[in-house]
Amino acid sequence: KVLAFSLIFDALADDDHYRKRHRYRGGFEKNDDNDDNDRNDYLKPVANRTYKETCGECHFAYQPELLPSASWVKILNQLDDHFGEEIEADPDTIKTISDYLKTNGAENSSAKRSKKIMRSLRNQVPMRISDIPYIREKHHELGPEIYKRESIGSLANCTACHMTAEKGIYDDDDVKIPR
């Protein structure tokens, strides 16, 4: 049975239509209704060096597409109390970061995930990615004990479980929940 299944699968993998519909990468994948561009499901990796170095010094430099521009503006306007920390940066650095985040906010993205984030917000302006209804729903099966693990710490620590988060890929296939 295994050999027959393997032969059938190998034949399907050689079929262009099958590869496009099932995003073939050497194994079975879920069907993607968007034949045009598999990348459309991924967020863009952080491309702004100033943002990556300044914000990434203390935490994961989240892709701008994870929050709407209004949220980024709200966060940047409260750097004197940035989640319990005071952030000091020169005005040029703040402007560079602000321009990057606003230009690349969720409402400006073509990624499916960003569109789902925007729909779930219903005009809310969250200060945290972990407060986005879509993100909370995607993690609803994980109990609070998981986030208490020292290796994770909170829902905000994307890179603890999402092995490809820095690349903007948050697929379930790339998740490994640490002990």
Side-chain angles (χ1 to χ4, degrees):
K1 285 183 181 179
V2 173
L3 180 59
F5 177 76
S6 178
L7 291 172
I8 291 168
F9 181 73
D10 288 344
L12 286 172
D14 289 334
D15 180 59
D16 283 341
H17 175 74
Y18 180 85
R19 270 187 304 213
K20 285 180 183 174
R21 296 290 298 164
H22 297 275
R23 297 179 357 175
Y24 177 74
R25 288 186 292 179
F28 278 111
E29 298 283 333
K30 60 186 171 219
N31 186 351
D32 183 357
D33 291 329
N34 183 0
D35 284 341
D36 303 332
N37 186 359
D38 295 336
R39 158 63 184 92
N40 210 23
D41 205 23
Y42 304 149
L43 304 179
K44 294 179 211 148
V46 172
N48 183 284
R49 184 174 168 193
T50 303
Y51 168 66
K52 191 170 192 167
E53 289 177 2
T54 305
C55 301
E57 185 177 321
C58 298
H59 58 75
F60 174 59
Y62 301 100
Q63 286 85 13
E65 297 166 284
L66 288 168
L67 281 173
S69 299
S71 292
W72 291 118
V73 169
K74 194 172 173 182
I75 291 167
L76 290 171
N77 283 336
Q78 297 180 22
L79 293 179
D80 58 327
D81 183 13
H82 184 70
F83 306 104
E85 300 288 328
E86 184 175 352
I87 307 298
E88 292 184 20
D90 65 84
D92 288 341
T93 297
I94 299 301
K95 180 168 179 8
T96 298
I97 292 170
S98 178
D99 289 349
Y100 173 67
L101 295 174
K102 288 189 295 188
T103 301
N104 294 285
E107 76 276 13
N108 299 320
S109 175
S110 62
K112 290 179 192 178
R113 192 166 319 280
S114 295
K115 292 180 184 311
K116 291 175 184 178
I117 285 169
M118 290 304 296
R119 275 195 303 272
S120 78
L121 287 175
R122 300 175 192 227
N123 296 319
Q124 297 172 49
V125 182
M127 290 281 291
R128 298 174 183 268
I129 292 166
S130 57
D131 288 340
I132 296 171
Y134 170 75
I135 301 293
R136 295 189 77 70
E137 175 59 29
K138 291 297 283 181
H139 296 83
H140 78 277
E141 293 178 5
L142 302 176
E145 70 281 356
I146 295 210
Y147 301 110
K148 291 179 183 171
R149 294 178 185 169
E150 191 174 324
S151 57
I152 299 175
S154 78
L155 180 57
N157 187 6
C158 302
T159 57
C161 303
H162 294 274
M163 303 292 103
T164 53
E166 287 190 36
K167 296 177 183 176
I169 302 170
Y170 292 87
D171 288 347
D172 292 346
D173 295 342
D174 299 311
V175 170
K176 182 180 177 197
I177 300 173
R179 293 275 158 213

